[in-house]
Amino acid sequence: MDEVELKEWLASLDYVLNSGTPDRVQYLLQQLQIRAQESGVTLPFTYHTPYINTIPKDKQPAFPGNRELERRIKSIVRWNAMAMVVKANKATDGIGGHISTYASSATLYEIGFNHFFRGRTDTNNGDLVYFQGHASPGIYARAFVEGRLSEANLYNFRRELAEGGGLSSYPHPWLMPSFWQFPTVSMGLAPIMGIYQARFNRYLEDRGLKPKDDNKVWVFMGDGESDEPESLGALTMASREKLDNLIFVINCNLQRLDGPVRGNGKIIQELEALFRGAGWNVVKVVWGADWDSLLAKDTEGLLARRLGEIVDGEFQKYSVSSGAYIREKLFGTDPRLLEMVAHLSDEELAGMRRGGHDPEKVYAGYKAAMEYKGAPTVVLAKTIKGYGLGESGEGKNISHNQKKLNDQELKEFRSRFNIPISDADVAKAPFYKPAEDSPEMQYIRQRRAALGGSLPLRRTETTNLKTPSDEVFAEFYKGTEGRQASTTMAYVRILSQLLRDEAIGKYIVPIIPDEARTFGMEGLFRQCGIYSHVGQLYEPVDMDSLMYYKEAKDGQILEEGINEAGAISSFIAAGTAGATHNINTIPFYTYYSMFGPQRVGDLVWAAGDLRCRGFLVGATSGRTTLNGEGLQHQDGHTHLLTSTVPNLVSYDTSFAYEIAVIIQNGIERMYEKQESIFYYLSVGNENYAMPPMPEGVKEGIVKGLYRFSKSSKASNLKAHLLGSGAIMNQVLEAQKILEEKYNVSTDVWGATSYNELRREALHVERENMLNGKKTKVPYVTQTLQNEKGVFVSASDYMKVLGDSIRNWVPGPYTVLGTDGFGRSESRPALRDFFEVDAKHIVWATLVSLNEQKQIGDDVLTKAQGELKINPQKLNPMIS
């Protein structure tokens, strides 16, 4: 009776489908659902569709290309990608490389190259494509066939220092600046960067900085990569912003490095549920054309149900099994299923392709994605990892690490893809490229010309911006004339000035992760507006206040919410707009300093690889300056983390004029001189009077060290105190105590960047070593070499920061810092605990003078009591 009843319902549905419209079917199903719920029937929640193609055969568009030529081109690219990795590992054992990822995704890329990926022209920026990192051999092989790379380039894959130059392992714009647009390894970063790139493209359009276009952002990733939190963490932002300029293509080969992605589940169904739930358009490309006739005969849904029951681990087993095994295990569960495939031989069953290997199915999926409006699209394409590698790795758990093929395997690969290489030569895995006048080469050139040219291709020359003059920063050189302000407030004031600048103001991109009010930046809400693609559809609760929450379609601020990964991705999109759009936007990303590189270090590293430009600003910085917030918020090590990124220039600022000088210098270096660097500034929330800028210190501020004040006290005892950040005030207090109470002539130095001092010194030392003689002197040594006395450094950061220049300080050198976990307390208590307050700076100076036999033990003992130095206090490093 169940079967009869089901057939009656299906017949009714078929009648409506044949006589009505899809809208009519939707209406009736909705009414049935309402009636069921009103009757107390709870329907099961459905978050995915059947395990078949989203686009049925009868809705599939005609394929516009030459199938045979495209197959030949794809086979040639496959061969060269494989040969590149094999040759590299024969030449240098263990050099690495990946064959199986591109082998599984070749059709996904070739359909894109031949029909969808638009190159950059004089009038159009073209599409932005995030190529899956492990598929890079295939992208190189494509560029070789197109004539963009030479045979020598391919031979030097993963040997970048070889004569003639080589190819980087993965997409790295730093290493191949005119080729790769985006770094996509580490895994998981491309998806979140791609989402925010698509949103930033809309931002530029809505603000009138670029004309509107229909260009797409394509993000290719693997199904295993979806386990990375960054991969799927921003999906709702893309749908919320209606980013129909964004297309994800997920290569679902069901395998990650060690084994199945979801051996006991179904990754395509899982991903469909996630993306559908997040509001994306989902296109599943699961089965190739070989399955069309079977699914057409599946009038009772038996086959679709069976395909939905089988877990991925079993599908993986099918990919390496015989047709007889597939007949028994897949179809043998029901006589009606067996009857359905009775006309197929075992060989035919084994050869039935998955959707991601069928050009027409992939084309249909991409076309649907291109045409969809109102939401982003994800194409879930089912493939086999290592497709074409045969016994050496197709569909096997070892596929990811397959880097070598023996002679027989090379012959089989050659024969399977019909590459015209003889048996005598095949063992050498030679590269192959058709003659220039061959149909294949003509077709490649014609298709890429029709789509605007080759890619990947990165713009290296961009339009310069003019650095703002001193007039813009003049007020900050003067100080605050006794009024108290924090360096964070000084920075915000400078940013506000820059936003008003006629020349560059419109290019400034303020980025905030939901902390504007914390940093005193709410005044920018009304001045600039918060960007929203739909404007402001409500009246804000604080509408009557001067600094109300103003959203606008042409708003300038990117308010990213509590989302540091998203905010740094916006920073990357804005900081690389010169390369992607020839629009040099200047991002200022302001955030709690603790949640910068510590929270999103991999993305900061990617920003360096991308040759990103802009300003990262760590507000509320310093282990003891952000009092009260405690261990997780008090930052005493970001400058150590920034030192690991080679092109990140970092400064720890004490005064408003330092910030002004550094920002002006940064704009000049990044946007006028076009240096591939970006900046980090730490600023704090402690209020104090900002002094005027001393004469002639600009160069020292930029280089990392300048004399803030020279002592006028005549004494045989001499000390030099190096201060930075808010601890500079403790240094100045220590200077006063040393001079007035202990008769020590004390100079104070502003150490704006220990990292820059160290880098410059290392450059000099390296040059001297390679030349075999000491011809140059590091800047820090030059600056201090004529100074007598002892040197003491104090900062709100770990001691290793100040200690990093020890080799080049020409005298006894003591470093104070804030090693250890932070805690909630007042600033005076914290600075006493971490031993960076004025009294500990004075004490360290006196101890150093005593060690140099310049003061006696009696003076030191007396000072210990006067300063209340407790040798038995808790050690902050381990407490």
Side-chain angles (χ1 to χ4, degrees), residues 303-316:
L303 179 58
R305 282 202 299 275
R306 176 62 182 143
L307 294 173
E309 293 168 355
I310 302 169
V311 295
D312 286 351
E314 187 68 11
F315 274 123
Q316 185 183 358

Side-chain angles (χ1 to χ4, degrees), residues 627-666:
N627 60 318
E629 287 295 285
L631 184 151
Q632 187 58 41
H633 288 68
Q634 291 168 343
D635 169 30
H637 51 270
T638 287
H639 283 282
L640 303 180
L641 301 177
T642 60
S643 73
T644 65
V645 183
N647 55 339
L648 178 51
V649 182
S650 55
Y651 293 94
D652 186 23
T653 62
S654 303
F655 304 124
Y657 66 79
E658 293 176 350
I659 301 170
V661 168
I662 291 164
I663 288 178
Q664 184 184 38
N665 172 260

Side-chain angles (χ1 to χ4, degrees), residues 663-728:
I663 288 178
Q664 184 184 38
N665 172 260
I667 292 174
E668 179 184 18
R669 290 184 65 185
M670 292 185 287
Y671 294 96
E672 190 168 330
K673 295 182 178 178
Q674 301 283 306
E675 293 185 48
S676 295
I677 56 176
F678 60 124
Y679 277 56
Y680 172 73
L681 281 73
S682 54
V683 294
N685 65 339
E686 183 175 0
N687 292 324
Y688 47 88
M690 296 288 158
M693 183 170 66
E695 291 290 328
V697 299
K698 281 189 176 182
E699 181 184 12
I701 290 171
V702 170
K703 288 189 172 182
L705 184 68
Y706 70 97
R707 195 192 314 255
F708 174 77
S709 66
K710 185 175 178 63
S711 176
S712 58
K713 186 177 186 65
S715 172
N716 291 327
L717 301 177
K718 186 68 181 182
H720 300 272
L721 307 182
L722 282 63
S724 62
I727 299 302
M728 178 60 106

Side-chain angles (χ1 to χ4, degrees), residues 241-254:
E241 297 284 333
K242 297 179 171 54
L243 297 180
D244 51 21
N245 61 338
L246 175 65
I247 299 171
F248 272 28
V249 179
I250 303 185
N251 175 21
C252 299
N253 58 36
L254 313 186

